[in-house]
């Protein structure tokens, strides 16, 4: 009887171990691992990596950039996780992620009208013009904000009457990170209506695999704006 209990206990322990390992494999299978050196090569920073000698630890970098420890079970489905093999790799990628954003001008303005005419021929007509502004995150991709500015007027006198369809989105990502819009976008129209600005904000989120079973998540807040002026 005692031997039967021992066998049953062994089987139970084995099932628990198998269950835990299965959950672990499931979490990894639902995420994509991207090698840090591949990202660094795409960013054309391989030479910088070879010359880089860091005296920091993973934990010191985590504290400096506000990274948090997470379980692999906390990874979002289809998350892209950056696997780093050295402190130098991690530091170079973090520097790139947190470099100053570079404004990218977009000269294209799309025009659309609420009536059959695209011109402002009468006082009651209103034409919406779409303006987009972009911020380049190193070589990783763009964070964009777009808004429709409603123009009214008569003759040679026009003003901005309305701003709608304010939206933020990401494009051209080469690094694995996610963009999430936070808060509610809003707009401010100047007195007289000759200038209006739309505002939006969001968070860039990215994940690291430091070593087997050790994951970290980092975030960066981004504020965006796009302006349309008359005259």
């Amino acid at each position: 009887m005692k031997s039967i209990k021992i066998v049953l206990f062994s089987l139970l322990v084995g099932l628990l171990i198998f269950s835990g390992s299965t959950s672990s494999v499931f979490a990894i299978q639902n995420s994509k691992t991207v090698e840090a050196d591949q990202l660094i090569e795409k960013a054309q920073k391989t030479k910088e990596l070879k010359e880089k000698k860091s005296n920091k630890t993973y934990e010191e970098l985590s504290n400096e950039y506000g990274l948090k420890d997470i379980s692999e079970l906390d990874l979002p489905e289809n998350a892209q996780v950056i696997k780093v093999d050295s402190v130098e790799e991690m530091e170079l990628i973090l520097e790139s992620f947190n470099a100053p954003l570079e404004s990218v001008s977009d000269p294209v303005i799309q025009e659309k009208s609420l009536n059959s005419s695209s011109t402002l021929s009468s006082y009651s007509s209103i034409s919406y013009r779409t303006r987009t502004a972009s911020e380049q995150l190193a070589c990783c991709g763009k964070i964009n904000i777009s808004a429709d500015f409603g123009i009214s007027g008569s003759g040679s006198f026009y003003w901005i009457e309305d701003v709608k369809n304010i939206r933020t989105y990401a494009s051209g990502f080469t690094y694995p990170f996610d963009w999430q819009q936070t808060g509610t976008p809003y707009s401010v129209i100047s007195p007289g209506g000759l200038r209006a600005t739309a505002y939006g904000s969001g968070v860039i989120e990215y994940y690291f695999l430091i070593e087997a079973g050790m994951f970290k998540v980092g975030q960066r807040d981004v504020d965006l704006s796009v302006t349309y002026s008359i005259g």
Side-chain angles (χ1 to χ4, degrees):
M1 185 70 176
K2 185 177 179 180
S3 60
I4 294 175
K5 288 183 178 179
I6 293 174
V7 171
L8 290 174
F9 178 76
S10 300
L11 287 172
L12 179 60
V13 171
L15 285 172
L16 289 173
I17 293 174
F18 176 77
S19 175
S21 62
T22 301
S23 298
S24 175
V25 171
F26 179 82
I28 295 173
Q29 286 180 345
N30 280 271
S31 303
K32 179 182 178 182
T33 301
V34 182
E35 296 291 338
D37 57 354
Q38 295 178 4
L39 302 180
I40 291 170
E41 184 178 351
K42 286 183 180 179
Q44 298 180 345
K45 291 183 179 292
T46 303
K47 181 180 178 181
E48 291 183 34
L49 177 63
K50 290 180 179 179
E51 298 174 349
K52 197 171 190 60
K53 300 296 179 183
S54 179
N55 57 1
K56 299 177 183 178
T57 66
Y58 285 126
E59 287 308 311
E60 287 173 337
L61 279 176
S62 297
N63 292 333
E64 181 179 347
Y65 289 96
L67 304 184
K68 296 180 180 179
D69 294 329
I70 61 170
S71 163
E72 62 188 44
L73 297 177
D74 295 326
L75 292 172
E77 189 172 353
N78 299 320
Q80 297 190 73
V81 182
I82 307 166
K83 182 180 181 298
V84 296
D85 297 319
S86 69
V87 174
E88 286 78 13
E89 285 184 346
M90 184 172 174
E91 186 172 23
L92 190 61
I93 289 176
L94 283 169
E95 288 174 353
S96 180
F97 277 163
N98 291 276
L101 295 173
E102 179 184 349
S103 294
V104 181
S105 60
D106 183 359
V108 177
I109 301 177
Q110 299 173 337
E111 184 170 328
K112 47 192 172 183
S113 178
L114 290 182
N115 55 29
S116 59
S117 173
S118 62
T119 62
L120 301 174
S121 58
S122 65
Y123 181 85
S124 61
S125 64
I126 180 169
S127 175
Y128 280 89
R129 298 177 182 179
T130 302
R131 189 76 168 97
T132 302
S134 303
E135 296 283 350
Q136 180 78 34
L137 178 63
C139 64
C140 309
K142 294 179 183 178
I143 309 297
N144 313 281
I145 182 170
S146 182
D148 296 339
F149 296 86
I151 317 299
S152 289
S154 177
S156 59
F157 181 56
Y158 303 105
W159 64 89
I160 302 170
E161 185 174 297
D162 181 34
V163 182
K164 67 177 186 177
N165 295 333
I166 306 171
R167 53 210 177 274
T168 66
Y169 58 95
S171 62
F173 284 6
T174 56
Y175 278 173
F177 59 82
D178 296 320
W179 169 254
Q180 297 179 11
Q181 182 173 288
T182 56
T184 303
Y186 66 96
S187 63
V188 176
I189 301 176
S190 68
L194 297 181
R195 180 184 175 91
T197 301
Y199 298 92
S201 61
V203 173
I204 298 169
E205 197 166 60
Y206 47 90
Y207 303 91
F208 284 106
L209 172 59
I210 307 302
E211 53 189 54
M214 184 180 293
F215 295 87
K216 292 182 180 290
V217 59
Q219 290 185 334
R220 176 178 179 174
D221 296 326
V222 176
D223 295 319
L224 300 162
S225 65
V226 60
T227 298
Y228 187 83
S229 300
I230 294 178

